Amino acid sequence: MTGTVVNGVSTRKVTTITEELCGVSFSNSMVSSLCGEWDQTVTAWNERDLEAYVYPFIQLDGINIKAREGGRVLSKCCRNR
C-alpha cells in the first residue's frame, strides 16, 4: 500500500485499490498516516553513513556491442581503462 503512494498514487486511489484487492477499506487519513510513518524510515535509510561499513561488492561498468570478428558477428563487452 505504501509503495503505491511512494510511486505517486493518490490516497483516494489506494483506498479504492485495497477495497478491490483485499476487501478491506482504509480511510484517506489512515493511508496518509501509515505513509507518514514510513517517511522517517526512508529518511533514515537515505541518510545512513555508507562509509561506516565495508560492502563486499565490486562495481563494473561496460557496454555490450556487436563486433565483426573472423567473418562472424559477436557480442563484445567494451570498458573504460
Side-chain angles (χ1 to χ4, degrees):
M1 176 174 63
T2 55
T4 55
V5 174
V6 168
N7 289 322
V9 177
S10 70
T11 54
R12 181 170 288 136
K13 185 70 173 174
V14 170
T15 301
T16 304
I17 291 169
T18 55
E19 284 179 15
E20 291 176 3
L21 295 178
C22 306
V24 177
S25 178
F26 293 98
S27 68
N28 294 343
S29 60
M30 175 61 89
V31 172
S32 292
S33 174
L34 291 171
C35 291
E37 292 174 17
W38 274 98
D39 286 344
Q40 295 172 353
T41 303
V42 170
T43 300
W45 173 262
N46 286 338
E47 294 176 353
R48 72 193 186 284
D49 183 15
L50 295 177
E51 295 184 12
Y53 303 99
V54 175
Y55 297 95
F57 297 99
I58 298 173
Q59 181 177 352
L60 302 174
D61 187 19
I63 185 170
N64 284 328
I65 61 168
K66 299 288 184 179
R68 187 172 301 278
E69 186 175 295
R72 296 175 39 198
V73 176
L74 302 173
S75 182
K76 296 283 189 167
C77 181
C78 298
R79 62 181 172 86
N80 275 337
R81 292 184 185 217

